[in-house]
Amino acid sequence: MKKNLIIRISGQLGGTLFRQAARQRAEKLGLTGTARNQSNGELRIEVEGEEEALQTFQTWCQTGPEGTQVDHVEVMDGPLQEFDRFMEMR
């Protein structure tokens, strides 16, 4: 069953590095959604897909790509948006 998660990540995220890596990881897992850097420095990811793929993605978000340092990850359930792909937003 398809599900939506809203993930907020804070730390040393390397500008666009984490956002780009999140898109690539989501696409590999067959997930759709958005990743957007927030004005407070957080990265907000809204991601949809099957529960097993979402769990894998959520686990990856705890450490992120090489060159970044994750300090905090907050995950909440969100309403389905029916995204057709994963997009990096500015």
Coordinates of all heavy atoms in Angstrom, one line a residue:
M1 N 0.8 -1.2 0.0 CA 0.0 0.0 0.0 C 0.9 1.2 0.0 O 1.9 1.3 0.7 CB -0.9 0.0 1.2 CG -1.9 1.1 1.3 SD -3.2 0.7 2.4 CE -3.5 2.3 3.1
K2 N 0.5 2.2 -0.8 CA 1.3 3.4 -1.0 C 1.1 4.3 0.3 O 0.0 4.4 0.8 CB 0.8 4.1 -2.2 CG 1.9 5.0 -2.9 CD 1.4 5.4 -4.2 CE 2.4 6.4 -4.8 NZ 1.9 6.9 -6.1
K3 N 2.2 5.0 0.6 CA 2.2 5.8 1.8 C 3.0 7.1 1.5 O 3.8 7.1 0.6 CB 2.9 5.0 2.9 CG 2.7 5.5 4.3 CD 3.3 4.5 5.3 CE 3.4 5.2 6.6 NZ 4.1 4.3 7.6
N4 N 2.8 8.2 2.3 CA 3.5 9.4 2.2 C 4.2 9.7 3.5 O 3.6 9.6 4.6 CB 2.5 10.6 1.8 CG 3.2 11.9 1.8 OD1 3.7 12.4 2.8 ND2 3.2 12.5 0.6
L5 N 5.5 10.1 3.4 CA 6.2 10.6 4.6 C 6.8 12.0 4.3 O 7.2 12.3 3.2 CB 7.4 9.6 4.8 CG 7.1 8.2 5.3 CD1 8.5 7.5 5.5 CD2 6.3 8.1 6.5
I6 N 6.8 12.8 5.4 CA 7.4 14.0 5.4 C 8.6 13.9 6.3 O 8.5 13.5 7.5 CB 6.5 15.2 5.9 CG1 5.3 15.3 4.9 CG2 7.2 16.5 6.0 CD1 4.2 16.1 5.4
I7 N 9.8 14.2 5.7 CA 11.1 14.0 6.5 C 11.8 15.3 6.5 O 12.0 15.9 5.5 CB 12.0 12.9 5.8 CG1 11.2 11.6 5.6 CG2 13.3 12.7 6.5 CD1 11.9 10.6 4.8
R8 N 12.1 15.7 7.7 CA 12.9 17.0 7.9 C 14.3 16.6 8.5 O 14.3 15.9 9.5 CB 12.2 17.9 8.9 CG 10.9 18.4 8.3 CD 10.1 19.2 9.3 NE 8.8 19.5 8.7 CZ 8.2 20.7 8.6 NH1 8.9 21.7 9.1 NH2 7.0 20.8 8.1
I9 N 15.3 17.1 7.8 CA 16.7 16.7 8.1 C 17.4 18.0 8.4 O 17.4 19.0 7.7 CB 17.3 16.0 7.0 CG1 16.5 14.7 6.6 CG2 18.7 15.6 7.4 CD1 16.8 14.1 5.3
S10 N 18.2 18.0 9.5 CA 19.1 19.1 9.8 C 20.5 18.6 10.1 O 20.7 17.4 10.4 CB 18.5 19.9 11.1 OG 18.5 19.0 12.2
G11 N 21.4 19.5 9.9 CA 22.8 19.2 10.1 C 23.7 19.9 9.0 O 23.3 20.9 8.4
Q12 N 24.9 19.4 8.8 CA 25.7 19.9 7.7 C 25.4 19.1 6.4 O 26.0 18.1 6.2 CB 27.2 19.7 8.1 CG 27.6 20.4 9.4 CD 27.5 21.9 9.3 OE1 27.9 22.5 8.3 NE2 27.1 22.5 10.4
L13 N 24.5 19.7 5.6 CA 23.9 18.9 4.5 C 24.6 19.2 3.2 O 24.2 18.7 2.1 CB 22.4 19.2 4.5 CG 21.7 18.8 5.8 CD1 20.2 19.1 5.6 CD2 21.9 17.4 6.2
G14 N 25.6 20.1 3.2 CA 26.4 20.3 2.0 C 25.7 21.0 0.9 O 25.8 20.7 -0.3
G15 N 24.8 22.0 1.3 CA 24.1 22.8 0.3 C 23.1 21.9 -0.5 O 22.2 21.4 0.1
T16 N 23.4 21.7 -1.8 CA 22.5 20.9 -2.6 C 22.9 19.4 -2.6 O 22.2 18.6 -3.2 CB 22.5 21.4 -4.1 OG1 23.8 21.3 -4.6 CG2 22.0 22.9 -4.1
L17 N 24.1 19.1 -2.0 CA 24.6 17.7 -2.1 C 23.5 16.7 -1.6 O 23.2 15.7 -2.2 CB 25.9 17.6 -1.3 CG 26.5 16.2 -1.2 CD1 26.9 15.7 -2.5 CD2 27.7 16.2 -0.2
F18 N 23.0 16.9 -0.4 CA 22.1 16.0 0.2 C 20.8 15.9 -0.6 O 20.3 14.8 -0.9 CB 21.7 16.4 1.7 CG 21.2 15.3 2.5 CD1 22.0 14.8 3.5 CD2 20.0 14.7 2.3 CE1 21.5 13.8 4.4 CE2 19.5 13.7 3.1 CZ 20.3 13.2 4.1
R19 N 20.3 17.0 -1.1 CA 19.1 17.1 -1.9 C 19.2 16.3 -3.2 O 18.4 15.5 -3.5 CB 18.7 18.5 -2.2 CG 17.4 18.7 -2.9 CD 17.1 20.2 -3.1 NE 17.9 20.6 -4.2 CZ 18.3 21.9 -4.4 NH1 18.1 22.8 -3.5 NH2 19.0 22.2 -5.5
Q20 N 20.4 16.4 -3.9 CA 20.6 15.7 -5.1 C 20.8 14.2 -4.8 O 20.2 13.4 -5.5 CB 21.9 16.2 -5.8 CG 21.7 17.6 -6.3 CD 23.1 18.2 -6.8 OE1 24.1 17.7 -6.4 NE2 23.0 19.3 -7.5
A21 N 21.5 13.8 -3.7 CA 21.6 12.4 -3.4 C 20.3 11.8 -3.0 O 20.0 10.6 -3.3 CB 22.7 12.3 -2.3
A22 N 19.4 12.6 -2.3 CA 18.1 12.1 -1.9 C 17.3 11.8 -3.2 O 16.6 10.7 -3.2 CB 17.4 13.1 -1.0
R23 N 17.3 12.6 -4.2 CA 16.6 12.4 -5.4 C 17.1 11.1 -6.1 O 16.3 10.2 -6.5 CB 16.7 13.5 -6.4 CG 16.0 13.2 -7.7 CD 16.2 14.3 -8.8 NE 17.6 14.7 -8.9 CZ 18.5 14.0 -9.6 NH1 18.2 12.9 -10.2 NH2 19.8 14.4 -9.8
Q24 N 18.4 10.9 -6.1 CA 19.0 9.7 -6.8 C 18.6 8.5 -6.0 O 18.2 7.5 -6.6 CB 20.5 9.9 -6.9 CG 20.9 10.9 -7.8 CD 22.4 11.3 -7.7 OE1 23.1 10.8 -6.8 NE2 22.9 12.1 -8.6
R25 N 18.7 8.5 -4.7 CA 18.3 7.3 -3.9 C 16.8 7.0 -4.0 O 16.5 5.9 -4.2 CB 18.7 7.6 -2.4 CG 18.4 6.5 -1.4 CD 19.1 5.2 -1.8 NE 20.6 5.4 -1.9 CZ 21.5 4.9 -1.1 NH1 21.1 4.1 -0.1 NH2 22.8 5.1 -1.4
A26 N 16.0 8.0 -4.0 CA 14.5 7.8 -4.1 C 14.2 7.2 -5.5 O 13.4 6.3 -5.6 CB 13.8 9.2 -4.0
E27 N 14.8 7.7 -6.5 CA 14.6 7.2 -7.9 C 15.0 5.7 -7.9 O 14.3 4.9 -8.5 CB 15.3 8.0 -8.9 CG 14.7 9.3 -9.1 CD 15.4 10.3 -10.1 OE1 16.6 10.0 -10.3 OE2 14.9 11.3 -10.5
K28 N 16.1 5.3 -7.3 CA 16.6 3.9 -7.3 C 15.6 3.0 -6.6 O 15.4 1.9 -7.0 CB 18.0 3.8 -6.6 CG 19.1 4.2 -7.5 CD 20.4 3.9 -6.8 CE 21.6 4.2 -7.6 NZ 22.9 4.0 -6.9
L29 N 14.9 3.6 -5.6 CA 14.0 2.8 -4.8 C 12.6 2.9 -5.4 O 11.6 2.3 -4.8 CB 14.0 3.3 -3.4 CG 15.2 3.1 -2.6 CD1 15.2 3.9 -1.3 CD2 15.4 1.6 -2.3
G30 N 12.4 3.6 -6.5 CA 11.0 3.7 -7.1 C 10.1 4.6 -6.4 O 8.9 4.5 -6.5
L31 N 10.7 5.6 -5.6 CA 9.9 6.5 -4.8 C 9.7 7.8 -5.6 O 10.5 8.2 -6.5 CB 10.5 6.8 -3.5 CG 10.8 5.6 -2.6 CD1 11.6 6.0 -1.4 CD2 9.5 5.0 -2.2
T32 N 8.6 8.6 -5.3 CA 8.3 9.9 -5.9 C 8.2 10.9 -4.8 O 8.0 10.5 -3.6 CB 7.0 9.8 -6.7 OG1 5.9 9.5 -5.8 CG2 7.1 8.8 -7.9
G33 N 8.3 12.2 -5.2 CA 8.1 13.2 -4.2 C 9.0 14.5 -4.5 O 9.3 14.7 -5.6
T34 N 9.3 15.2 -3.4 CA 10.1 16.4 -3.6 C 11.1 16.5 -2.5 O 11.0 16.0 -1.4 CB 9.2 17.7 -3.5 OG1 8.6 17.7 -2.2 CG2 8.1 17.7 -4.6
A35 N 12.2 17.3 -2.8 CA 13.2 17.6 -1.8 C 13.5 19.1 -1.9 O 13.7 19.6 -3.0 CB 14.5 16.8 -2.0
R36 N 13.4 19.8 -0.8 CA 13.5 21.3 -0.9 C 14.3 21.8 0.4 O 14.0 21.5 1.5 CB 12.1 21.9 -0.9 CG 12.1 23.4 -0.9 CD 10.7 24.0 -0.8 NE 9.8 23.4 -1.7 CZ 9.2 24.1 -2.7 NH1 9.5 25.3 -2.9 NH2 8.4 23.4 -3.5
N37 N 15.3 22.6 0.1 CA 16.1 23.2 1.2 C 15.2 24.3 1.7 O 14.6 25.1 1.0 CB 17.4 23.8 0.7 CG 18.4 22.8 0.3 OD1 18.2 22.2 -0.8 ND2 19.3 22.5 1.1
Q38 N 15.1 24.4 3.1 CA 14.3 25.4 3.8 C 15.2 26.6 4.2 O 16.4 26.5 4.3 CB 13.7 24.8 5.0 CG 12.8 23.6 4.7 CD 11.6 23.9 3.9 OE1 10.7 24.6 4.4 NE2 11.6 23.5 2.7
S39 N 14.6 27.8 4.4 CA 15.4 29.0 4.8 C 16.1 28.8 6.1 O 17.1 29.5 6.3 CB 14.4 30.2 4.8 OG 13.4 30.0 5.8
N40 N 15.7 27.9 7.0 CA 16.4 27.7 8.2 C 17.5 26.7 8.1 O 18.1 26.3 9.1 CB 15.4 27.2 9.3 CG 14.8 25.9 9.0 OD1 15.0 25.2 8.0 ND2 13.9 25.4 9.9
G41 N 17.8 26.2 6.9 CA 18.9 25.3 6.7 C 18.5 23.8 6.7 O 19.3 22.9 6.3
E42 N 17.3 23.5 7.1 CA 16.8 22.1 7.0 C 16.5 21.7 5.6 O 16.3 22.6 4.7 CB 15.4 22.0 7.8 CG 15.5 22.0 9.2 CD 14.2 21.7 9.9 OE1 13.1 21.9 9.2 OE2 14.2 21.4 11.1
L43 N 16.5 20.4 5.4 CA 16.0 19.8 4.1 C 14.7 19.2 4.4 O 14.5 18.4 5.3 CB 17.0 18.8 3.6 CG 16.6 18.1 2.3 CD1 16.5 19.1 1.1 CD2 17.6 17.0 1.9
R44 N 13.6 19.5 3.6 CA 12.3 18.9 3.8 C 12.1 18.0 2.6 O 12.1 18.5 1.4 CB 11.2 20.0 3.8 CG 9.8 19.4 4.0 CD 8.8 20.5 4.0 NE 7.5 20.1 4.3 CZ 6.6 19.5 3.5 NH1 7.0 19.3 2.3 NH2 5.4 19.1 3.9
I45 N 11.9 16.8 2.9 CA 11.6 15.8 1.8 C 10.2 15.3 2.0 O 9.8 14.9 3.1 CB 12.6 14.6 1.9 CG1 14.0 15.1 1.7 CG2 12.2 13.5 0.9 CD1 15.1 14.1 1.9
E46 N 9.4 15.3 1.0 CA 8.1 14.6 1.0 C 8.2 13.5 0.0 O 8.5 13.7 -1.2 CB 7.0 15.6 0.6 CG 5.6 15.0 0.8 CD 4.5 16.0 0.8 OE1 4.8 17.2 0.6 OE2 3.3 15.6 1.0
V47 N 8.0 12.3 0.5 CA 8.3 11.1 -0.4 C 7.1 10.1 -0.3 O 6.5 9.9 0.8 CB 9.7 10.5 0.0 CG1 9.7 10.0 1.5 CG2 10.1 9.4 -0.9
E48 N 6.8 9.5 -1.4 CA 5.7 8.5 -1.5 C 6.2 7.2 -2.1 O 7.0 7.2 -3.0 CB 4.6 9.0 -2.3 CG 3.9 10.2 -1.7 CD 2.7 10.7 -2.4 OE1 2.5 10.3 -3.6 OE2 2.0 11.5 -1.9
G49 N 5.6 6.1 -1.7 CA 5.9 4.8 -2.3 C 5.5 3.7 -1.4 O 4.7 3.9 -0.4
E50 N 5.9 2.5 -1.7 CA 5.6 1.3 -0.9 C 6.4 1.4 0.4 O 7.5 1.9 0.5 CB 5.9 0.1 -1.7 CG 5.1 -0.1 -2.9 CD 3.6 -0.1 -2.7 OE1 3.2 -0.7 -1.7 OE2 2.9 0.4 -3.5
E51 N 5.8 0.8 1.5 CA 6.3 0.9 2.8 C 7.8 0.4 2.9 O 8.6 1.0 3.6 CB 5.4 0.2 3.8 CG 5.7 0.6 5.2 CD 4.5 0.2 6.1 OE1 3.4 0.0 5.7 OE2 4.8 0.3 7.3
E52 N 8.1 -0.7 2.3 CA 9.5 -1.2 2.4 C 10.5 -0.3 1.8 O 11.6 0.0 2.4 CB 9.6 -2.6 1.7 CG 10.9 -3.3 1.9 CD 10.9 -4.7 1.3 OE1 9.9 -5.4 1.2 OE2 12.0 -5.1 0.9
A53 N 10.2 0.3 0.7 CA 11.1 1.3 0.0 C 11.2 2.5 0.9 O 12.3 3.1 1.0 CB 10.6 1.6 -1.4
L54 N 10.1 3.0 1.5 CA 10.1 4.1 2.3 C 11.0 3.9 3.5 O 11.7 4.8 4.0 CB 8.7 4.5 2.7 CG 7.8 5.2 1.7 CD1 6.4 5.3 2.2 CD2 8.4 6.5 1.2
Q55 N 10.9 2.7 4.1 CA 11.7 2.4 5.3 C 13.2 2.4 4.9 O 14.1 3.0 5.7 CB 11.4 1.0 5.9 CG 12.1 0.7 7.1 CD 11.9 1.6 8.2 OE1 10.8 2.0 8.5 NE2 12.9 2.1 8.9
T56 N 13.6 1.9 3.8 CA 15.0 1.9 3.3 C 15.4 3.3 3.1 O 16.5 3.7 3.5 CB 15.1 1.1 2.0 OG1 14.7 -0.2 2.2 CG2 16.5 1.1 1.4
F57 N 14.6 4.2 2.5 CA 14.9 5.6 2.3 C 15.1 6.3 3.6 O 16.0 7.1 3.8 CB 13.9 6.2 1.4 CG 14.2 7.7 1.1 CD1 15.1 7.9 0.0 CD2 13.6 8.7 1.7 CE1 15.4 9.3 -0.3 CE2 13.9 10.0 1.4 CZ 14.8 10.3 0.4
Q58 N 14.2 6.1 4.5 CA 14.2 6.7 5.8 C 15.5 6.3 6.6 O 16.2 7.2 7.2 CB 13.0 6.3 6.6 CG 12.8 7.0 8.0 CD 11.6 6.5 8.7 OE1 10.6 6.1 8.1 NE2 11.6 6.6 10.0
T59 N 15.9 5.1 6.5 CA 17.2 4.7 7.1 C 18.3 5.4 6.5 O 19.3 5.8 7.2 CB 17.3 3.1 7.0 OG1 16.2 2.5 7.7 CG2 18.6 2.7 7.6
W60 N 18.4 5.5 5.2 CA 19.4 6.2 4.5 C 19.5 7.7 4.9 O 20.6 8.2 5.1 CB 19.2 6.1 3.0 CG 20.2 6.9 2.2 CD1 21.5 6.5 1.8 CD2 20.1 8.2 1.7 NE1 22.1 7.5 1.1 CE2 21.3 8.6 1.1 CE3 19.1 9.2 1.8 CZ2 21.5 9.8 0.5 CZ3 19.3 10.4 1.2 CH2 20.5 10.7 0.5
C61 N 18.4 8.3 5.1 CA 18.3 9.7 5.6 C 19.0 9.9 6.9 O 19.5 11.0 7.2 CB 16.9 10.2 5.6 SG 16.1 10.5 4.0
Q62 N 19.2 8.9 7.7 CA 19.8 9.0 9.0 C 21.3 9.4 8.9 O 21.9 10.0 9.8 CB 19.6 7.7 9.9 CG 18.2 7.3 10.1 CD 17.5 8.3 11.1 OE1 18.1 8.8 12.0 NE2 16.2 8.5 10.9
T63 N 21.9 8.9 7.8 CA 23.3 9.2 7.6 C 23.6 10.0 6.4 O 24.5 10.8 6.3 CB 24.1 7.9 7.5 OG1 23.6 7.1 6.4 CG2 24.1 7.1 8.8
G64 N 22.8 9.9 5.3 CA 22.9 10.7 4.1 C 24.2 10.3 3.3 O 24.9 9.3 3.6
P65 N 24.5 11.1 2.3 CA 25.6 10.9 1.5 C 27.0 11.2 2.1 O 27.0 12.0 3.1 CB 25.4 11.7 0.2 CG 24.6 12.9 0.8 CD 23.7 12.3 1.8
E66 N 28.0 10.7 1.6 CA 29.4 11.1 2.1 C 29.6 12.6 2.0 O 29.1 13.1 1.0 CB 30.4 10.3 1.3 CG 31.8 10.4 1.9 CD 32.8 9.5 1.2 OE1 32.4 8.5 0.7 OE2 34.0 10.0 1.1
G67 N 30.2 13.2 2.9 CA 30.4 14.6 2.9 C 29.4 15.4 3.6 O 29.4 16.7 3.6
T68 N 28.4 14.8 4.2 CA 27.4 15.5 5.0 C 27.4 14.9 6.4 O 27.9 13.8 6.7 CB 26.0 15.3 4.4 OG1 25.6 13.9 4.4 CG2 25.9 15.8 2.9
Q69 N 26.7 15.7 7.3 CA 26.6 15.2 8.7 C 25.2 15.5 9.1 O 24.7 16.6 9.2 CB 27.6 15.9 9.6 CG 27.4 15.6 11.1 CD 28.3 16.4 12.0 OE1 29.3 16.9 11.6 NE2 27.8 16.6 13.2
V70 N 24.4 14.4 9.4 CA 23.0 14.6 9.9 C 23.0 14.7 11.4 O 23.6 13.9 12.1 CB 22.2 13.3 9.4 CG1 20.8 13.4 10.0 CG2 22.2 13.2 7.9
D71 N 22.4 15.8 11.9 CA 22.2 16.0 13.3 C 20.9 15.5 13.8 O 20.8 15.0 14.9 CB 22.4 17.4 13.7 CG 23.8 17.9 13.4 OD1 24.7 17.1 13.4 OD2 23.9 19.2 13.2
H72 N 19.8 15.7 13.0 CA 18.5 15.3 13.5 C 17.6 15.0 12.3 O 17.7 15.7 11.2 CB 17.9 16.5 14.2 CG 16.5 16.3 14.8 ND1 16.3 15.5 15.9 CD2 15.3 16.7 14.3 CE1 15.0 15.4 16.1 NE2 14.3 16.1 15.2
V73 N 16.8 14.0 12.4 CA 15.8 13.6 11.4 C 14.4 13.5 12.1 O 14.3 12.8 13.1 CB 16.2 12.3 10.7 CG1 15.1 11.8 9.7 CG2 17.5 12.3 10.0
E74 N 13.4 14.1 11.5 CA 12.1 14.1 12.0 C 11.2 13.5 10.9 O 11.3 13.9 9.7 CB 11.6 15.5 12.4 CG 10.1 15.5 12.9 CD 9.7 16.9 13.1 OE1 10.5 17.8 13.1 OE2 8.4 17.1 13.3
V75 N 10.4 12.5 11.2 CA 9.6 11.8 10.2 C 8.1 11.8 10.6 O 7.8 11.5 11.8 CB 10.0 10.3 10.0 CG1 9.2 9.7 8.9 CG2 11.5 10.3 9.6
M76 N 7.2 12.2 9.7 CA 5.8 12.2 10.0 C 5.1 11.7 8.8 O 5.5 11.8 7.7 CB 5.2 13.6 10.2 CG 6.2 14.6 10.8 SD 5.5 16.3 10.8 CE 6.7 17.0 9.9
D77 N 3.9 11.1 9.1 CA 3.1 10.6 8.0 C 2.4 11.9 7.4 O 2.1 12.8 8.1 CB 2.0 9.7 8.5 CG 2.5 8.3 8.9 OD1 3.5 7.9 8.3 OD2 2.0 7.7 9.8
G78 N 2.2 11.8 6.0 CA 1.5 12.9 5.3 C 0.5 12.4 4.4 O 0.4 11.2 4.2
P79 N -0.4 13.3 3.9 CA -1.4 12.8 2.9 C -0.8 12.5 1.6 O 0.2 13.2 1.1 CB -2.3 14.0 2.8 CG -1.4 15.2 3.1 CD -0.4 14.7 4.1
L80 N -1.3 11.5 0.9 CA -0.8 11.1 -0.4 C -1.0 12.3 -1.4 O -2.1 13.0 -1.4 CB -1.6 9.9 -1.0 CG -1.2 8.6 -0.4 CD1 -2.0 7.5 -1.0 CD2 0.3 8.3 -0.7
Q81 N 0.0 12.6 -2.2 CA 0.0 13.7 -3.1 C 0.0 13.2 -4.6 O -0.2 13.9 -5.5 CB 1.2 14.6 -3.0 CG 1.3 15.2 -1.6 CD 0.2 16.2 -1.3 OE1 -0.2 16.9 -2.1 NE2 -0.3 16.2 -0.1
E82 N 0.3 11.9 -4.8 CA 0.3 11.2 -6.1 C 1.3 11.9 -7.0 O 1.0 12.2 -8.2 CB -1.1 11.2 -6.7 CG -2.1 10.4 -6.0 CD -1.8 9.0 -5.8 OE1 -1.1 8.4 -6.7 OE2 -2.3 8.4 -4.8
F83 N 2.5 12.1 -6.5 CA 3.6 12.6 -7.3 C 3.9 11.7 -8.5 O 3.8 10.5 -8.3 CB 4.9 12.8 -6.5 CG 4.8 13.8 -5.3 CD1 4.8 13.3 -4.0 CD2 4.7 15.1 -5.6 CE1 4.7 14.2 -3.0 CE2 4.6 16.0 -4.5 CZ 4.6 15.6 -3.2
D84 N 4.3 12.2 -9.6 CA 4.6 11.3 -10.7 C 6.1 11.0 -10.9 O 6.5 10.2 -11.7 CB 4.0 11.8 -12.0 CG 4.5 13.2 -12.5 OD1 5.3 13.8 -11.7 OD2 4.2 13.6 -13.6
R85 N 6.9 11.8 -10.1 CA 8.4 11.6 -10.2 C 9.0 12.2 -8.9 O 8.2 12.8 -8.1 CB 9.0 12.2 -11.4 CG 8.7 13.7 -11.5 CD 9.1 14.3 -12.9 NE 8.5 15.6 -13.0 CZ 9.1 16.6 -13.4 NH1 10.3 16.6 -13.8 NH2 8.5 17.8 -13.5
F86 N 10.3 12.2 -8.8 CA 10.9 12.8 -7.6 C 11.6 14.1 -8.1 O 12.4 14.0 -9.1 CB 12.0 11.9 -6.9 CG 12.3 12.4 -5.6 CD1 11.7 11.9 -4.5 CD2 13.3 13.4 -5.4 CE1 12.0 12.4 -3.2 CE2 13.6 13.9 -4.1 CZ 13.0 13.3 -3.0
M87 N 11.3 15.2 -7.5 CA 11.8 16.5 -8.0 C 12.6 17.2 -6.9 O 12.2 17.2 -5.8 CB 10.7 17.4 -8.4 CG 9.9 16.8 -9.6 SD 8.4 17.8 -9.8 CE 7.4 17.3 -8.4
E88 N 13.7 17.8 -7.3 CA 14.4 18.8 -6.4 C 13.8 20.1 -6.6 O 13.7 20.6 -7.7 CB 15.9 18.8 -6.8 CG 16.7 17.5 -6.6 CD 18.1 17.7 -7.0 OE1 18.8 18.7 -6.5 OE2 18.6 16.9 -7.8
M89 N 13.4 20.8 -5.5 CA 12.8 22.1 -5.6 C 13.8 23.1 -4.9 O 14.6 22.7 -4.1 CB 11.5 22.1 -4.8 CG 10.6 20.9 -5.1 SD 9.9 21.0 -6.8 CE 8.6 22.2 -6.5
R90 N 13.7 24.3 -5.4 CA 14.6 25.4 -4.8 C 13.8 26.2 -3.9 O 12.6 26.4 -3.9 CB 15.2 26.2 -5.9 CG 16.2 25.4 -6.7 CD 16.8 26.3 -7.7 NE 17.6 25.5 -8.6 CZ 19.0 25.5 -8.5 NH1 19.6 26.3 -7.8 NH2 19.6 24.7 -9.3

